[in-house]
Amino acid sequence: MNKAMNIQTIREDFPILSRTVYDKPLVYFDNGATTQKPRLVVEALVDQYYSVNANVHRGVHYLSQQATELHEGARETVREFIHARSTNEIVFTRGTTESINLVVSSFGDAFMEAGDEVIISVMEHHSNIVPWQLLAARKGITIKVVPMNDQGELLLDEYEALFSERTKIVSLTQVSNVLGTVNPAKEMIAVAHAHGVPFLLDAAQSVPHMAVDVQDLDVDFLAFSAHKMYGPTGVGVLYGKEEWLDRLPPYQAGGEMIQHVSFEKTTFNELPFKFEAGTPDYVGTTGLAKAIDYMNALGLDQIAAHEHDLLVYATERLKGIPDLRILGEAAEKGAVISFLVGHIHPFDMGTLLDRLGIAVRTGHHCAQPLMQRLGVEGTVRASFGLYNTKEEIDLLVNAIERVRQMF
Ligand SMILES: Cc1ncc(COP(=O)(O)O)c(C=O)c1O
């Protein structure tokens, strides 16, 4: 365990971790899908509804101004967290999926036409595949796919070879939600820029686990979700370089995103409000800011080190189980392990582990093209968070052994 992080104390911040399922202590290894919430996040949501609830931006009254201060304060917290230059570059969305759809739709409308190309990779989540397919159906663009090796690492030579005169954007995940692979984002962004092409990075599985600095990466767009980083559901972020966001047309239309409306002509609001039509989840953004405060207090490097310890320990222990196969053995890997045991169907494994109190995810993990590449229907996935322990990994290993013996 990391010196600076007392995991037992941390676990007390998450009330749900002390509950039982089927009379067994809960072991929660489904953090890739969503993380649990610390008390201070939940309390911030309740406090705001009880004492500072009013719609933001539009009110002259006291409560509305207080709510607006919290909401805009949260934007500043996010800016600092990912080291953006300005809060104009922080757009609040419903989550990673909406952030990606925003870019696909606005960038696609403004800068892509039939025959233009987007580069994605074989390990993308459906949310970074299907929006491009809809754009392809609408506008006749072409999707090119970066392949990977059997360890689950993207092939960088092949990536570079995919660029052509028609390449307009690259859209890739920083960390695979299935394989755990940490892609060399900075290097891949530099390659795109050398071809004069902007880069959208899906940070859904990276921001919760490591420090992400948009200026250091020099990334053009970055998407992530609050609920995967100890914050509430329904809130996410799109970071965009101001020079890009300025040039993109609005995504959705309605209140908040306008400056002036008449039946003859409507003008749009300044950044970032141009992309925030309608009432935002201003309570959720307060919760996100609290989650960031919580992670910052523990230290992003400490969180990463603790989770790396868990990954190394779990990998070693799982490899000791006969017939267990790990899918994804990249040299750079986040705290996610996908595996299969003999011919046991992942669904059966997941169901039986659940009966023993262990929550893992099974299936295709919204990455069916990756499953096809791996030649499997699905996997069992254990994904770790800052509150997990080696003792819980021991419970997982023992439980897998029990299931294996049942088959
Ligand atoms: C890599 C990746 N991208 C995007 C998403 C979509 O995130 P959300 O459902 O929060 O929009 C996920 C969710 O699992 C993910 O793992």
Side-chain angles (χ1 to χ4, degrees):
M1 195 182 74
N2 199 282
K3 251 202 302 192
M5 284 186 34
N6 182 334
I7 303 301
Q8 285 319 320
T9 313
I10 288 171
R11 288 178 70 84
E12 286 164 19
D13 295 334
F14 294 81
I16 204 170
L17 296 179
S18 53
R19 67 160 288 174
T20 55
V21 290
Y22 306 112
D23 292 330
K24 306 272 186 321
L26 169 69
V27 173
Y28 187 77
F29 282 158
D30 195 17
N31 295 285
T34 199
T35 53
Q36 300 304 343
K37 321 302 172 199
R39 203 179 306 249
L40 95 173
V41 167
V42 180
E43 284 172 357
L45 305 181
V46 174
D47 280 353
Q48 189 159 351
Y49 278 123
Y50 279 168
S51 56
V52 200
N53 181 51
N55 208 333
V56 290
H57 295 144
R58 286 175 276 220
V60 290
H61 63 80
Y62 185 82
L63 270 190
S64 173
Q65 288 181 11
Q66 244 191 337
T68 303
E69 270 170 35
L70 282 173
H71 182 62
E72 292 308 318
R75 203 186 300 275
E76 169 58 20
T77 302
V78 172
R79 183 205 65 73
E80 206 182 333
F81 184 62
I82 58 170
H83 196 217
R85 287 168 202 83
S86 153
T87 49
N88 290 351
E89 299 181 317
I90 307 297
V91 177
F92 286 125
T93 64
R94 284 193 303 118
T96 309
T97 301
E98 190 175 50
S99 298
I100 295 174
N101 273 276
L102 191 166
V103 175
V104 175
S105 173
S106 292
F107 185 92
D109 276 350
F111 296 107
M112 296 184 86
E113 48 193 52
D116 284 343
E117 296 164 1
V118 56
I119 296 176
I120 63 173
S121 87
V122 67
M123 64 177 74
E124 297 310 313
H125 188 277
H126 292 164
S127 61
N128 193 27
I129 301 174
V130 185
W132 295 110
Q133 290 176 326
L134 291 183
L135 183 68
R138 224 165 50 232
K139 293 198 85 168
I141 66 149
T142 300
I143 300 168
K144 288 184 156 179
V145 181
V146 188
M148 66 177 200
N149 63 21
D150 290 340
Q151 279 70 54
E153 294 161 327
L154 293 180
L155 299 173
L156 297 185
D157 288 347
E158 307 238 4
Y159 164 61
E160 186 139 21
L162 289 179
F163 284 86
S164 81
E165 295 284 284
R166 301 305 299 266
T167 309
K168 288 290 171 354
I169 188 164
V170 178
S171 189
L172 280 182
T173 192
Q174 189 166 16
V175 174
S176 161
N177 64 315
V178 177
L179 307 167
T181 309
V182 181
N183 291 316
K186 191 171 173 176
E187 196 181 333
M188 296 181 85
I189 291 163
V191 169
H193 288 170
H195 288 85
V197 171
F199 201 113
L200 163 61
L201 192 61
D202 173 351
Q205 299 290 346
S206 54
V207 163
H209 306 286
M210 59 175 82
V212 172
D213 180 327
V214 292
Q215 291 189 62
D216 179 57
L217 288 168
D218 195 22
V219 73
D220 302 280
F221 302 102
L222 184 98
F224 57 97
S225 302
H227 72 96
K228 292 185 193 290
M229 50 189 288
Y230 314 100
T233 54
V235 182
V237 172
L238 173 68
Y239 158 84
K241 279 185 187 164
E242 200 160 349
E243 68 240 44
W244 275 114
L245 292 182
D246 262 337
R247 294 161 69 197
L248 295 192
Y251 171 53
Q252 293 181 333
E256 294 270 339
M257 52 76 73
I258 51 84
Q259 204 160 48
H260 177 76
V261 177
S262 73
F263 287 117
E264 289 70 40
K265 183 173 164 55
T266 290
T267 51
F268 302 124
N269 206 339
E270 59 201 19
L271 290 178
F273 310 110
K274 181 173 92 174
F275 293 106
E276 294 181 351
T279 299
D281 185 352
Y282 54 82
V283 178
T285 54
T286 301
L288 167 59
K290 288 287 176 195
I292 291 175
D293 289 345
Y294 186 81
M295 290 176 69
N296 281 337
L298 294 179
L300 295 175
D301 291 343
Q302 276 80 356
I303 293 171
H306 170 65
E307 292 182 358
H308 184 71
D309 272 0
L310 294 178
L311 174 73
V312 171
Y313 183 72
T315 304
E316 193 186 297
R317 294 256 17 227
L318 289 172
K319 280 189 166 171
I321 299 176
D323 300 332
L324 187 144
R325 174 159 76 102
I326 291 178
L327 295 100
E329 298 204 77
E332 292 295 324
K333 206 176 151 174
V336 176
I337 304 184
S338 268
F339 62 90
L340 289 168
V341 182
H343 294 293
I344 304 173
H345 194 281
F347 182 78
D348 294 335
M349 176 62 83
T351 307
L352 291 167
L353 290 178
D354 178 51
R355 286 278 159 178
L356 297 169
I358 299 172
V360 291
R361 188 143 292 243
T362 64
H364 55 63
H365 315 293
C366 296
Q368 282 179 324
L370 176 59
M371 296 299 123
Q372 282 152 24
R373 166 63 179 82
L374 295 169
V376 299
E377 239 180 87
T379 74
V380 186
R381 180 186 75 182
S383 51
F384 309 123
L386 58 83
Y387 37 62
N388 288 126
T389 64
K390 289 185 180 165
E391 291 72 29
E392 289 180 306
I393 290 168
D394 291 340
L395 290 172
L396 171 69
V397 169
N398 294 343
I400 294 171
E401 277 291 10
R402 272 184 71 180
V403 174
R404 204 176 65 84
Q405 276 152 24
M406 284 163 65
F407 272 79

